[in-house]
Amino acid sequence: MQDVLVIGLGYVGLPLAIAAARAGFRVTGLDTSEKIVAGLLAGRSHVDDVTDAEIAEMLSHGFRGTSDEAAVTPQDIIVICVPTPLSEADGPDLSAVRAASQTAGRLLKAGTFVSLESTTYPGTTEEVVRPLLEKASGLTAGIDFKLAFSPERIDPGNPVYGFANTPKIVGGLTPSCTDAAEAFYSRICDQVVRAKSAREAEMAKLLENTYRHVNIALVNEMAIFCRELDVDL
């Protein structure tokens, strides 16, 4: 049985942890919020799309939650699911990604697969996450351990498409890294789509978000002038 560490137990990390536990992985969740961890261990969900019954099921599969890195042993698989809000400078705030990458670096071992799911810009996995992992671990990405980007595609409130039945994009630092990503995600998702590299996977997320924002903005503008024309959009 392989060990999986999910760093960040929000609306992205929690469904992944549940899916991994169902698939037979030994799952540990690490979150900086002691309140969130305590709630989960008590069987309470803090995410709208996740029920208390699903938390109970995850716990029955042996899920462990903690806010203390020292309580976590080296892992076979580490998935980073921390938030990337906009910074005051108008770019993504990668402070949580950097902190999680340093934590992951201290907890990986030779052969570990690391996946970044946090939304960010093309190049982050290779230019930001990779150096932090290598510095903290003393190991080399693509040789001693595997590294990939797999964008989260959670659509909160969607009753049809959830974690398992939404196609999962994976792109590794090297082809063998992509192989490792496909091997892991194919156990918890119905369909895995291989990208050429981590950078292409990152760009896929950027394109998807941009497409959504443009269409939301378009419909909002349509709604404004439809009201003025007394048309029910």
Side-chain angles (χ1 to χ4, degrees):
M1 182 183 291
Q2 288 182 300
D3 292 307
V4 174
L5 173 65
V6 180
I7 303 179
L9 296 171
Y11 78 98
V12 175
L14 187 56
L16 188 147
I18 292 170
R22 283 175 179 161
F25 291 100
R26 188 165 40 233
V27 181
T28 299
L30 178 63
D31 197 284
T32 56
S33 171
E34 294 181 3
K35 181 179 178 180
I36 286 177
V37 171
L40 291 174
L41 294 179
R44 298 190 303 272
S45 172
H46 60 284
V47 175
D48 289 342
D49 288 347
V50 176
T51 66
D52 289 350
E54 289 175 304
I55 301 302
E57 179 192 1
M58 180 176 70
L59 291 170
S60 73
H61 289 301
F63 172 82
R64 295 175 59 249
T66 183
S67 56
D68 181 9
E69 177 191 328
V72 184
T73 56
Q75 300 287 299
D76 300 308
I77 298 166
I78 302 174
V79 188
I80 298 172
C81 303
V82 295
T84 49
L86 285 176
S87 68
E88 293 182 1
D90 251 357
D93 180 353
L94 296 182
S95 57
V97 169
R98 291 190 176 94
S101 297
Q102 291 170 332
T103 296
R106 292 188 289 268
L107 293 172
L108 66 81
K109 58 187 178 182
T112 294
F113 164 59
V114 181
S115 176
L116 174 64
E117 290 211 5
S118 303
T119 299
T120 186
Y121 58 86
T124 302
T125 303
E126 186 170 4
E127 298 165 9
V128 177
V129 175
R130 176 184 183 173
L132 292 171
L133 292 173
E134 292 182 335
K135 182 178 180 180
S137 68
L139 302 174
T140 302
I143 299 174
D144 301 314
F145 67 92
K146 309 301 182 185
L147 174 61
F149 182 77
S150 181
E152 62 88 0
R153 306 188 75 199
I154 299 294
D155 186 11
N158 191 324
V160 178
Y161 288 99
F163 180 85
N165 66 344
T166 299
K168 200 77 171 80
I169 300 167
V170 298
L173 201 65
T174 65
S176 64
C177 290
T178 304
D179 291 341
E182 184 176 28
F184 169 60
Y185 284 107
S186 63
R187 289 185 59 181
I188 60 176
C189 299
D190 297 342
Q191 181 184 2
V192 175
V193 180
R194 293 173 64 106
K196 181 180 178 181
S197 72
R199 192 175 295 262
E200 275 77 13
E202 291 163 334
M203 190 65 213
K205 178 60 175 176
L206 180 59
L207 175 61
E208 185 171 272
N209 280 14
T210 301
Y211 181 88
R212 182 170 67 243
H213 288 312
V214 167
N215 279 277
I216 290 171
L218 172 63
V219 173
N220 286 342
E221 291 295 317
M222 291 283 287
I224 291 171
F225 73 74
C226 278
R227 278 198 299 269
E228 295 173 355
L229 295 171
D230 195 26
V231 174
D232 186 338
L233 180 59

